[in-house]
Amino acid sequence: MTLTWAQLRDLKCGELEGAADGWGKASNRADAGRDRIETQLLSGLRDTQRGEAAKAAVGRLRQMSRNLGYLYTECGLLRTTLNSLAHELRTQQRALREALEDAENLKFTVHGDGSVTYPAAGEGLIDGRPLPGGTAGTGAVAPGLHAPSGLVAPNPNVAKAQDIADRVAKAVRTAAEIDWRYARILRRLKAEEGLKVPDSTWKDAAGDAAAVREAARGYLKDAIPYDVSPAERKSWWSALTDEQREEYLAVYPDRIGNLDGIPALVRDAANRDNIQLLMGKLEGRDDAKSQTQLAALREIDRQLRAGSHPPMYLLGIGEEGNGRAIVSFGNPDTAKNVAAYVPGLNTSLDKEFATGDIKRAWDTAKGAQKYDHSSAAITWLGYDAPQSPDGMSSLSVAGTKRAEEGGVAFNGFMAGLSATNETGDPHLTAIGHSYGSRTVGAATQHGGGIPGVDDIVLVGSPGVGVDRAEDLGVGKDHVFVGAAEHDVVTKVPSGQESLVGALGTIAAGPVVGYLAGDMADQGDDDIWFGKDPASEAFGARRFPVNEGPPLVGLHGLSLDAHSQYFSPKKDSVSADSIALIAAGRSRDIQLEEPR
C-alpha cells in the first residue's frame, strides 16, 4: 500500500506512543519481578534453606529471573522502537503540515497525488494580462506524481508551487522509508517459544538491541551528554523523566552503565542487563579473545547472582580493548569511605581477573568495614593495562602511554564517584598495584590531581612517574607504600634491564651475585618509572608487609611476592593496613623504615 500525504497528515502518533507506554509497563513489571526474585526470594532461600529441594528451587528462581530479565529487555526495546517511530514520523508530519499551510496561505490547491495547482499571477510582457495558472508536479522526486512539463513559466507562482510539491513528496517519501525500516525491526522483536531463555536467545537480543539503537540514534543516543563533566551528567540524568530513564536503560545499557556521573544503582542495573547482551554477543564467536572474555563475563555474572556481603555492584563492563570491568563491594554512593584499586601489568578481562582482582576489592571492603561499616572498595579495570606476551612481568613492554591514557579515564571515574556520592564529603582512596601504581601516578598529574582523593596507596610499585610523594597532590603524609622484600618488581633497575632480562640472568646461574648487585639496586633509589616509592628520598609512609616467597625457591622462579598484598591469608599485615587506610583510619597503621 502506497502512503499518501493525507494519511501522513492524519496519522495519530499519540496512538503509537500509547502502545509504547503499554510495552513500557510490561517491561517495568518484568523488572520488578526480577528484582523481587533477586533481592527477596533468592536471598531468603540461600540464607535459610539447605538440601536438594532448596538447590532446585534456587535453580528455578534463577531461570525465572533470567527470563524476566529477557522480557524486561525486549519489552523495553519495543517501547523505544515505537516511541522512536512516532518521533520520526512526527517530524515528517510537521514538515508536511508546514508545506500545506504555505499552500493554503498562497491559495494553492494540493491534490491527492501531491501535485499543486496555482492561480494566475503577474503580467504578460505583451498584453499585460495576468499569466495563467497551472499545476506543479514532483517529477522524479516521488513515483506516481505528475512529471514537469520542462517549460519555464514566468508566472511567479510556479516556483512556489514547485517548492511545495517537492516538500510534500519528500515528507511522504521519507515517512514511507521510516515505516518500512521500523517494520523490519518490529518483526524481529520476538522470542522463541518455550519457558526458557537460552544463550542463543540472548544472542538474538543483542542483535535486537543493536538494531533498535541504530534506529533510535536521533531519538535517544544523540542526547547522551558525553562531552561534559560527570557532575553535569548527573544533573542531566536527574532531570530526565522516569520514562526517559527507562528507555535509556533498555536501549543503551552499555552507554549508561559505563557513564561516569550516573548513580551507582543505575549503572549496576544497566550493566547487569548489558552483561547478558555481551555474553550473547560473544557466544557465537570462536576467536581466543572472545572466548577469554566470555569466560570472565560468565564468572562475574555467577558472582552477581550468588550474592555477597558486602553486596556487589557492577559499575562498568565492556569488550573494548583488553576488556573493561568495574566492580564495587558496597554502594559507593552511600558509603563514607570509598577505595578504588587499579590493577597493573597483564591485567585483562579474563577468568583470572574475575576470580583474583575482583576478590582484592572484596577483601579490602570486608577489611575496611571492620573499622567503619560505611565503606566500599572497587576494582577498576577501566583502561588497557600493558600485556607481556611471554607471561613474565616484563616492564620493557610497559611504557607510559597506557598509564597516561588510563590516568585520564581514572580521573573521570573518580570525578563521577565524587559527583554521585550522597554523604557530602566522602573519604576517597586511590590504590595502585604494579603498573596500576604508575597509572595512579599519571592520574595525579592531570587536571589538578585525582578528583576528591584524600589518600593514595602504592603496592608492588615499579615507580609512579614522579620523584617525591608530595608531587602526588594529596600531601606526602597521605601517600602510603607497601613493598615486599622479595617483590622484584619494586626493585627493577632504572632503565638498565627489564625484569625478563633479570630473570634470565637469574635462571642462567649467578643468582646470589645478581640479587646482591643490580637487582637489589643498592646505593640507588631509582627504579623503572622513577624514584622508588619505598625509598626515603621519595618521602611516603611505608607500612610493613610480608616479605613474600623468594624469587627462586624449591619449585623454581616465583613472582608470588608481587601478588599477595591484598590477601588476609597470605599477608594479613598488608591487607589490614590497606583496609585501615581505605576506612579513613590511616593514623592507626604501623609504619616501618623506608629503604
Side-chain angles (χ1 to χ4, degrees), residues 451-501:
V453 164
D454 303 285
D455 292 311
I456 292 176
V457 178
L458 311 169
V459 288
S461 176
V464 296
V466 300
D467 289 335
R468 300 179 303 173
E470 59 195 64
D471 294 334
L472 295 177
V474 293
K476 65 179 184 178
D477 289 340
H478 292 274
V479 179
F480 303 89
V481 177
E485 179 61 27
H486 291 152
D487 182 357
V488 295
V489 173
T490 69
K491 299 181 179 182
V492 180
S494 172
Q496 303 298 319
E497 300 177 68
S498 72
L499 186 56
V500 163

Side-chain angles (χ1 to χ4, degrees), residues 6-70:
Q7 290 172 326
L8 176 59
R9 178 197 61 193
D10 298 335
L11 180 66
K12 294 180 173 59
C13 291
E15 293 182 356
L16 290 173
E17 292 168 332
D21 288 342
W23 286 110
K25 290 176 182 176
S27 178
N28 290 340
R29 283 195 293 268
D31 189 38
R34 178 181 58 171
D35 184 66
R36 183 166 183 267
I37 289 172
E38 295 290 340
T39 60
Q40 298 179 33
L41 301 181
L42 276 176
S43 60
L45 272 174
R46 283 192 296 254
D47 294 342
T48 63
Q49 303 297 315
R50 298 290 183 272
E52 293 302 318
K55 288 181 181 178
V58 167
R60 293 293 182 89
L61 285 171
R62 282 177 175 164
Q63 181 62 58
M64 186 179 295
S65 175
R66 182 176 171 86
N67 292 357
L68 288 172
Y70 176 76

Side-chain angles (χ1 to χ4, degrees), residues 53 162 165 189 220 230 418 467 500:
Q162 189 63 59
L189 289 174
L220 286 178
S418 297
D467 289 335
V500 163

Side-chain angles (χ1 to χ4, degrees), residues 360 393 433-434 459-461 482-491 499 545-552 557-567 570-571 574 595:
R360 290 175 178 175
S393 297
H433 172 246
S434 188
V459 288
S461 176
E485 179 61 27
H486 291 152
D487 182 357
V488 295
V489 173
T490 69
K491 299 181 179 182
L499 186 56
V545 301
N546 189 301
E547 64 180 11
L551 180 63
V552 181
L557 295 177
S558 170
L559 294 175
D560 289 350
H562 184 58
S563 61
Q564 59 188 39
Y565 293 98
F566 300 87
S567 173
K570 295 181 178 180
D571 194 341
S574 175
R595 287 176 175 166

Side-chain angles (χ1 to χ4, degrees), residues 38-184:
E38 295 290 340
T39 60
Q40 298 179 33
L41 301 181
L42 276 176
S43 60
L45 272 174
R46 283 192 296 254
D47 294 342
T48 63
Q49 303 297 315
R50 298 290 183 272
E52 293 302 318
K55 288 181 181 178
V58 167
R60 293 293 182 89
L61 285 171
R62 282 177 175 164
Q63 181 62 58
M64 186 179 295
S65 175
R66 182 176 171 86
N67 292 357
L68 288 172
Y70 176 76
L71 281 174
Y72 163 77
T73 296
E74 291 291 295
C75 290
L77 292 176
L78 278 163
R79 171 183 53 197
T80 299
T81 300
L82 291 171
N83 275 332
S84 184
L85 171 60
H87 171 78
E88 292 195 38
L89 287 176
R90 190 173 273 117
T91 299
Q92 300 311 313
Q93 272 189 325
R94 190 179 305 113
L96 171 66
R97 286 170 179 162
E98 288 173 355
L100 294 177
E101 287 172 4
D102 288 347
E104 183 178 3
N105 292 334
L106 292 167
K107 309 300 183 184
F108 293 176
T109 300
V110 181
H111 301 286
D113 62 359
S115 60
V116 179
T117 296
Y118 53 90
E123 297 181 352
L125 296 177
I126 298 175
D127 55 14
R129 294 180 179 178
L131 297 169
T135 299
T138 57
V141 175
L145 301 181
H146 294 309
S149 66
L151 300 177
V152 179
N155 186 328
N157 285 330
V158 172
K160 298 176 183 178
Q162 189 63 59
D163 174 65
I164 291 173
D166 290 345
R167 287 157 60 195
V168 169
K170 181 179 180 182
V172 172
R173 182 180 68 250
T174 304
E177 292 171 351
I178 291 168
D179 180 65
W180 176 82
R181 176 159 45 89
Y182 277 90
R184 290 185 63 195

